[in-house]
Amino acid sequence: MQGIHPVTLEIVRNYLIAALDEIETNLCRTAYSPIVYEVRDLTCAWVDRDGKLIAQGRKGLPIFLADIAPPVIDTIEVIGEDNWQPGDIAVTNYPKANGHHLNNVVCVSPVFYRGSIVAYTAIRTHWIDVGGKVAGSNPTDSTDIFQEGLQMRALKLYKGGELCPEIARVVACNTRYPDLLFGDIRAQAAACRLGERRFVELLEKYGAATVRACIDEIWDRSEQAARRAIRQIPNGVYRAESFLDDDGIGDEPIPVRITVEVADEKITVDFSDMAPTLRGPFNSGPSGGTAVAKVAFKYLTLPDHPADEGAFRPLKIVLPPGTMVSAEPPAPMGLWNVPLPTVIDTILKAFSEPLKKRIPAGHLADICSFFWSNLPGRERWVNLEGCPGGWGARPFEDGPSPMKSVSHGDTYKGSLEVEESLSPYQVRYYRLATDSGGAGKYRGGLGIDIAWHFPEGCLAMIELERSKCPPWGLHGGEPGRGNTGEVQLPDGTSRRVQKVTGAQFPPGTTVVYHTAGGGGWGDPLQRDPAAVLNDVMQGYVSLARAREDYGVVLSADGQHVDAAATAELRERISNGEGTWQA
């Protein structure tokens, strides 16, 4: 179709985005679990009949970026396009196609227009519990996918608009929290229904041919914009590496090695040197490698552009089978999302020299997740979430603090008041952690210290990564602190914890997280002394670290910079004559 009116094109473009934003908002307003309505562990999208991404909502998790097609395509192939009826909704968490932990369940519903399927609505949310060996279905020590819960491949949960009682009974018998879960399922189904209505309304207004032509044009323009952005990056082959603490089973570090090639208007992300499939649950299917490549690619090219199929055409992903980000069942995937922020950080690190003025230092790069629930025999309650920390300093300003990982974007940390109202524990403190951000010309964002106290005890799952490989600094910046945790028992003893599954903590236990701070950017001795003074006055940096890391001497009252003493100290440090003298 030729000659699309530019006004029509822009209306269709913005309608697609606004409608999906509306769907996500309604999903959050109607869901029962905080993991959905507070954390927004979800995504909403439309794909065409070939599984290509028409548009995606902007309020869900970035790590779901444009990875919804494989489970939708698998569902269409299993059910058969001729076997759909209006009102049908299929559910799938099939690990070979979805590649996530089994909690991430996709609802797929066909969009019928004048008797034919024209698109599919796809809604993914985190189901609070799908069975398995522990509450929440995310053990840190699982060794195969069967320990992690119920697997569903392309099952029609709704047929002709009615809940299928047989499938519903299977789901209800494989979750510890059926009331919460089925509240979320109804919200997810309502989101599918709204998606169908909004897409049909668009077709009724402009016609199927015009809407399809607009989608194709949107894709072409997105591709052109991405190629223009790539032309600003010097051609070359760039490499970077980092590592993860372990796989949850052993103590060996897990290497993360990335090669990236920029060739004219194309970027290739090569995962050939990634670690092989892990014994523990930190694997993901090919969607893991695909998603992290797309998140990093979008950061480098079109960070403010809506996600669609065309925006990723100039991206090539080399993803051989059998790596930790291209694993296949029965590999465990319960904590599939934990390594991915580190992988994204490492891809960006590869560009730290050619794009020196754009790439930030390392960030907390972890989910910092917890799952608190009742001890056996007690009244049931549950809370699952992650914690924020510091992001890396940028080449032009300090890192943000605190934020969740790059996989979460700007999703919320759930309200502490909501936590306490829904669960029988108390948050003793939640505060920014002094000296946790890496020193630099621009300082890394701060991590947090948070303490939960459990008067009735709890059953716990704890996941803390990036303790041994703290967020790195760039161009002379110092690393931030790593993620650590400790359990303080009622008998006065305490122990450090990193990865714990199914631990039973007695009444009176307190669990403390110390989340990571971001890395610094640039030489700390180049930081403006006035900025260091402000950091000290705000409690971000201690007096000792102001001297030791930044070479800044403050007056006795801590209110002013001693300019002469600071200049002398910085010169002494630069000359390698030690740090500071009391």
Side-chain angles (χ1 to χ4, degrees):
M1 180 178 180
Q2 301 295 321
I4 304 170
H5 195 286
V7 173
T8 301
L9 179 65
E10 289 307 304
I11 290 173
V12 171
R13 181 201 305 273
N14 286 280
Y15 180 99
L16 292 169
I17 299 165
L20 287 167
D21 286 350
E22 175 197 11
I23 293 165
E24 289 184 342
T25 297
N26 283 359
L27 175 56
C28 290
R29 292 180 64 185
T30 53
Y32 279 39
S33 301
I35 192 69
V36 180
Y37 66 74
E38 288 276 6
V39 180
R40 301 205 307 259
D41 195 340
L42 58 91
T43 194
C44 301
W46 283 310
V47 300
D48 70 6
R49 292 172 60 187
D50 297 322
K52 295 180 179 178
L53 182 66
I54 296 172
Q56 188 166 4
R58 298 177 294 181
K59 299 180 180 180
L61 297 189
I63 203 58
F64 295 155
L65 185 65
D67 80 332
I68 200 76
V72 174
I73 292 171
D74 183 74
T75 298
I76 296 169
E77 291 176 350
V78 170
I79 291 178
E81 197 165 55
D82 295 336
N83 294 323
W84 291 97
Q85 299 295 326
D88 288 354
I89 299 177
V91 293
T92 186
N93 64 355
Y94 180 49
K96 191 167 184 177
N98 205 30
H100 297 189
H101 53 203
L102 299 176
N103 305 75
N104 284 349
V105 179
V106 181
C107 282
V108 181
S109 61
V111 177
F112 280 89
Y113 180 65
R114 298 183 179 178
S116 299
I117 296 175
V118 293
Y120 292 87
T121 304
I123 312 292
R124 176 189 282 143
T125 68
H126 182 110
W127 285 17
I128 190 69
D129 181 271
V130 290
K133 63 185 290 188
V134 296
S137 314
N138 296 158
T140 64
D141 59 354
S142 55
T143 54
D144 65 52
I145 196 76
F146 300 103
Q147 299 171 22
E148 298 175 348
L150 175 68
Q151 298 180 55
M152 300 173 288
R153 185 181 185 188
L155 303 178
K156 284 190 180 182
L157 183 59
Y158 285 81
K159 295 181 178 179
E162 299 295 327
L163 182 67
C164 177
E166 291 84 3
I167 303 299
R169 284 199 298 272
V170 172
V171 173
C173 289
N174 283 276
T175 180
R176 298 165 176 86
Y177 312 103
D179 292 340
L180 277 176
L181 179 55
F182 274 86
D184 293 341
I185 289 172
R186 289 190 291 270
Q188 201 170 357
C192 285
R193 299 279 182 253
L194 182 57
E196 297 164 25
R197 293 201 305 272
R198 291 292 181 261
F199 204 89
V200 169
E201 288 168 3
L202 182 65
L203 298 176
E204 292 285 1
K205 185 171 184 178
Y206 292 103
T210 297
V211 171
R212 181 71 240 192
C214 287
I215 291 169
D216 290 338
E217 181 66 18
I218 290 167
W219 288 353
D220 289 344
R221 294 191 180 194
S222 296
E223 179 184 1
Q224 294 164 13
R227 292 187 183 278
R228 285 196 299 271
I230 296 171
R231 289 200 294 268
Q232 306 305 310
I233 304 173
N235 284 350
V237 177
Y238 309 111
R239 296 180 176 85
E241 62 180 271
S242 60
F243 65 91
L244 301 168
D245 292 348
D246 55 60
D247 65 358
I249 305 297
D251 296 327
E252 302 84 6
I254 309 300
V256 176
R257 301 187 183 98
I258 301 293
T259 300
V260 182
E261 181 178 7
V262 182
D264 298 324
E265 296 182 352
K266 179 176 287 186
I267 291 179
T268 300
V269 179
D270 189 344
F271 294 102
S272 297
D273 294 328
M274 287 289 287
T277 301
L278 306 175
R279 295 170 298 169
F282 297 88
N283 300 291
S284 59
S287 61
T290 299
V292 294
K294 288 181 175 179
V295 170
F297 177 83
K298 195 171 190 301
Y299 177 97
L300 294 164
T301 57
L302 303 174
D304 300 318
H305 193 89
D308 60 51
E309 193 71 25
F312 301 102
R313 285 174 178 167
L315 171 64
K316 179 182 178 181
I317 303 171
V318 179
L319 187 59
T323 76
M324 61 180 284
V325 291
S326 58
E328 293 191 0
M333 300 183 187
L335 291 168
W336 75 286
N337 49 353
V338 171
L340 303 187
T342 295
V343 180
I344 295 168
D345 246 14
T346 308
I347 296 173
L348 297 181
K349 184 181 179 183
F351 288 94
S352 60
E353 287 299 333
L355 297 178
K356 185 174 180 179
K357 295 183 178 180
R358 289 183 54 190
I359 302 300
H363 79 308
L364 83 153
D366 187 23
I367 310 302
C368 299
S369 61
F370 61 83
F371 193 102
W372 315 132
S373 60
N374 57 282
L375 289 172
R378 303 288 183 91
E379 182 179 355
R380 284 194 169 181
W381 60 272
V382 60
N383 190 31
L384 164 65
E385 217 195 300
C387 287
W391 280 38
R394 279 74 67 86
F396 48 86
E397 66 181 349
D398 296 343
S401 56
M403 295 272 286
K404 288 196 174 181
S405 82
V406 68
S407 295
H408 292 83
D410 58 357
T411 56
Y412 301 129
K413 167 73 178 76
S415 163
L416 301 182
E417 289 77 13
V418 169
E419 281 189 42
E420 292 180 329
S421 68
L422 296 175
S423 309
Y425 60 75
Q426 301 138 14
V427 178
R428 287 285 176 84
Y429 54 80
Y430 182 95
R431 60 199 182 205
L432 292 172
T434 302
D435 293 333
S436 56
K441 179 179 180 180
Y442 299 107
R443 174 183 44 74
L446 302 185
I448 64 164
D449 295 330
I450 180 172
W452 297 270
H453 182 68
F454 299 92
E456 300 178 7
C458 73
L459 188 67
M461 187 286 291
I462 293 172
E463 175 281 310
L464 288 165
E465 178 52 54
R466 291 294 294 275
S467 170
K468 301 172 186 175
C469 180
W472 49 77
L474 288 179
H475 307 295
E478 297 293 330
R481 78 172 184 186
N483 295 295
T484 59
E486 61 180 302
V487 173
Q488 300 169 356
L489 297 171
D491 63 4
T493 62
S494 65
R495 61 185 176 94
R496 179 169 170 167
V497 290
Q498 292 294 127
K499 296 180 176 73
V500 172
T501 291
Q504 297 188 27
F505 295 145
T509 296
T510 299
V511 180
V512 181
Y513 274 17
H514 308 285
T515 69
W521 195 101
D523 185 352
L525 297 183
Q526 295 181 10
R527 185 167 179 78
D528 184 348
V532 177
L533 171 63
N534 182 67
D535 284 344
V536 172
M537 296 180 70
Q538 297 293 336
Y540 302 158
V541 174
S542 66
L543 275 169
R545 293 288 291 275
R547 285 177 174 256
E548 186 174 347
D549 292 343
Y550 296 99
V552 172
V553 182
L554 302 183
S555 59
D557 61 3
Q559 300 296 306
H560 305 283
V561 175
D562 186 329
T566 294
E568 179 184 353
L569 177 57
R570 284 186 162 184
E571 183 177 2
R572 189 163 64 247
I573 294 173
S574 297
N575 293 333
E577 298 175 9
T579 54
W580 60 281
Q581 297 175 356

